[in-house]
Amino acid sequence: AQKITQTQPGMFVQEKEAVTLDCTYDTSDQSYGLFWYKQPSSGEMIFLIYQGSYDEQNATEGRYSLNFQKARKSANLVISASQLGDSAMYFCAMKTSYDKVIFGPGTSLSVIP
Amino acid sequence: DARVTQTPRHKVTEMGQEVTMRCQPILGHNTVFWYRQTMMQGLELLAYFRNRAPLDDSGMPKDRFSAEMPDATLATLKIQPSEPRDSAVYFCASGLVLGQKNIQYFGAGTRLSVL
């Protein structure tokens, strides 16, 4: 079965510090994609970063990087230099075959001044 | 600044009434997804389309929900009759499939309350 697991329901981080949000996935597909989305309290879903299963390098987008460990089936999101505006829900997602995308349960991140 | 447009943003209705939610995907995108988000269930995929053809609606209660794409600029999600348990935020997302990449861009959502 294809599944996304996010084991941290809630996380706290001090402003300006780095934080890692965990994500593990389960799939038998060889070709797949992994995503992270941010959902602030306003409710919108904002795309952050993408990693393809065949990508050699870890994806980076500004302060966001994805720590992709294929053998362990993990795709952790690293946010460097946390800002107060990073406080939000973060969802890990996986694109499976036939373009279907499934989401994990999310991690609530709170950045403390 | 291209974005997915959903209407209405908020809908309050009484049990038994028909609800229609609309979505205008980003021009040029070839996939459209409907999700429902609740506190209890999180994000659930209801239906998705590729090139306007429905590929999967297994997550949708068939007896009361229906999803269509009458043309490339409009996707609809209907609930008839609505029930209080349908109260949720409904998101539409569109994307462009490029190889294994299909980044979805979400609309602002429709917050539905069924009384």
Side-chain angles (χ1 to χ4, degrees):
Chain A
Q2 292 165 324
K3 188 180 177 181
I4 295 282
T5 302
Q6 295 180 254
T7 57
Q8 306 153 313
M11 289 279 288
F12 291 88
V13 64
Q14 203 77 38
E15 194 178 5
K16 298 180 185 174
E17 292 188 351
V19 62
T20 298
L21 306 183
D22 294 342
C23 172
T24 57
Y25 59 92
D26 189 16
T27 182
S28 55
D29 291 346
Q30 295 301 308
S31 176
Y32 51 89
L34 297 156
F35 307 78
W36 278 90
Y37 284 84
K38 172 184 178 181
Q39 187 176 40
S41 57
S42 57
E44 60 198 300
M45 292 284 287
I46 303 167
F47 165 74
L48 295 178
I49 195 166
Y50 167 84
Q51 178 85 41
S53 58
Y54 295 128
D55 293 343
E56 299 277 335
Q57 305 274 353
N58 284 344
T60 60
E61 290 284 349
R63 295 187 298 110
Y64 305 109
S65 59
L66 200 153
N67 184 359
F68 181 45
Q69 299 187 38
K70 195 169 182 177
R72 298 179 61 183
K73 293 191 174 179
S74 75
N76 298 339
L77 177 70
V78 180
I79 306 175
S80 62
S82 298
Q83 302 172 356
L84 296 178
D86 294 334
S87 295
M89 282 290 289
Y90 288 82
F91 293 93
C92 180
M94 176 172 65
K95 172 191 170 297
T96 65
S97 52
Y98 301 109
D99 310 325
K100 190 170 178 176
V101 177
I102 58 173
F103 284 78
T107 294
S108 176
L109 176 67
S110 298
V111 180
I112 305 167
Chain B
D1 185 23
R3 57 182 63 196
V4 176
T5 303
Q6 285 187 251
T7 55
R9 290 294 311 279
H10 303 273
K11 176 73 175 178
V12 180
T13 190
E14 292 185 347
M15 183 174 64
Q17 296 298 306
E18 177 179 304
V19 175
T20 299
M21 289 169 271
R22 293 178 173 80
C23 169
Q24 181 178 358
I26 293 173
L27 190 65
H29 282 186
N30 59 359
T31 58
V32 171
F33 299 78
W34 283 104
Y35 292 93
R36 176 170 63 185
Q37 187 177 35
T38 61
M39 288 293 291
M40 294 299 295
Q41 301 295 332
L43 268 163
E44 301 174 273
L45 177 65
L46 296 175
Y48 76 100
F49 297 78
R50 183 170 181 173
N51 296 324
R52 293 178 55 204
L55 289 192
D56 189 342
D57 60 2
S58 59
M60 206 163 62
K62 299 290 190 303
D63 56 339
R64 299 184 299 109
F65 284 61
S66 63
E68 296 179 349
M69 271 201 81
D71 61 60
T73 64
L74 177 64
T76 62
L77 180 67
K78 289 186 182 180
I79 309 174
Q80 168 62 22
S82 58
E83 297 181 1
R85 60 181 166 147
D86 301 329
S87 298
V89 179
Y90 291 81
F91 286 103
C92 173
S94 72
L96 178 63
V97 175
L98 292 171
Q100 60 171 179
K101 199 169 186 175
N102 180 14
I103 297 171
Q104 296 180 30
Y105 295 90
F106 282 72
T110 294
R111 184 174 295 275
L112 175 65
S113 297
V114 183
L115 307 177

